[in-house]
Amino acid sequence: MLATPLYWILSVGLSNHSQSDKNYSKFIFGLCVAIVLSGHLQTASYEKQAEIKQFLLYKEENKKIEARQFSRFYKDLQSLTSKNRKIFAIIDAPYLVDFNRNKVSNSDILGGASISPGMPFGQGSGALLEYLVNNGYNYILAVDFDNAVLQYTRKLMENNPKGEWYTMHGHKYGLDLMKKIDEIASGRLVAISGNTRLIKISG
């Protein structure tokens, strides 16, 4: 969008060389846009193929899980926590969490950014547990990574069907975090509702 005015300026500038043809600037502008779009056709095609692969990847194993069910899963698990307790969430539909009941921090792009001093990737589950506790978290609300239906699907991370820089190079952070959360859950699991787990890590 920001580049469009630049193309127009370019086309107007080039049109000065052909004052006799008033449509010359429009032709150059159209040509510039066509060149830019043509460079994205392959990427767009690849992305559409990736979306289809991603959809098929979780559809087969999650036929019984619908988005409207997530709200009940989260409500069931949040009811087992004390009000105002702090939760680190890595779930399918974080927008359905009751933010009035608990202080909830939602993960987004794994490995992108984190609270100081930075999430300890590659340092074991003990380091992650210490990091979360030191930042005041009492619980982890985590999807079952083998039964997730959206971003945090272990199989999706392993197969890596998308072509963006993050999914090509950042999936290792996702797999690392999933493994560590599973290890923490093995001895601290409070309850399971649907495809979501509540894990108590402090107080």
Side-chain angles (χ1 to χ4, degrees):
M1 291 176 65
L2 293 176
T4 301
L6 297 180
Y7 294 134
W8 179 254
I9 293 172
L10 175 63
S11 66
V12 171
L14 292 173
S15 70
N16 291 333
H17 296 283
S18 182
Q19 295 295 336
S20 60
D21 187 353
K22 295 182 179 180
N23 292 320
Y24 188 72
S25 61
K26 295 179 182 178
F27 171 75
I28 294 297
F29 175 72
L31 182 61
C32 290
V33 172
I35 292 173
V36 172
L37 292 179
S38 65
H40 290 277
L41 288 178
Q42 184 177 1
T43 301
S45 175
Y46 186 85
E47 281 300 300
K48 184 56 64 177
Q49 293 175 40
E51 288 177 9
I52 294 173
K53 289 180 182 178
Q54 180 177 341
F55 175 75
L56 295 176
L57 197 59
Y58 62 70
K59 183 178 184 297
E60 182 178 347
E61 297 180 359
N62 296 281
K63 293 179 180 178
K64 297 181 180 180
I65 297 178
E66 300 177 7
R68 61 185 177 182
Q69 296 177 283
F70 294 141
S71 182
R72 176 170 56 82
F73 299 162
Y74 307 155
K75 184 177 181 180
D76 289 346
L77 295 176
Q78 281 191 265
S79 69
L80 301 177
T81 70
S82 300
K83 288 185 177 181
N84 296 320
R85 289 295 187 179
K86 198 171 178 181
I87 298 175
F88 175 78
I90 177 168
I91 51 181
D92 286 314
Y95 47 86
L96 295 178
V97 170
D98 184 353
F99 290 93
N100 291 320
R101 191 183 193 286
N102 295 96
K103 298 176 181 178
V104 183
S105 297
N106 293 310
S107 60
D108 186 13
I109 299 178
L110 305 180
S114 56
I115 301 171
S116 180
M119 190 168 285
F121 290 105
Q123 299 180 36
S125 58
L128 176 63
L129 179 62
E130 182 180 3
Y131 168 78
L132 293 173
V133 171
N134 288 344
N135 278 289
Y137 293 101
N138 307 105
Y139 295 91
I140 298 174
L141 190 64
V143 68
D144 174 359
F145 303 119
D146 293 319
N147 196 31
V149 298
L150 294 174
Q151 182 175 355
Y152 306 115
T153 310
R154 196 191 316 272
K155 187 179 293 185
L156 178 62
M157 290 282 182
E158 291 173 343
N159 283 277
N160 188 27
K162 287 195 172 184
E164 304 102 324
W165 180 91
Y166 168 69
T167 50
M168 292 177 65
H169 302 281
H171 67 283
K172 60 184 178 182
Y173 299 112
L175 291 172
D176 179 73
L177 184 61
M178 290 176 182
K179 178 182 178 182
K180 289 189 287 193
I181 287 180
D182 285 346
E183 290 175 354
I184 293 172
S186 65
R188 297 172 178 269
L189 184 66
V190 175
I192 298 174
S193 182
N195 71 337
T196 309
R197 304 166 287 174
L198 180 67
I199 305 161
K200 187 172 183 179
I201 57 176
S202 72

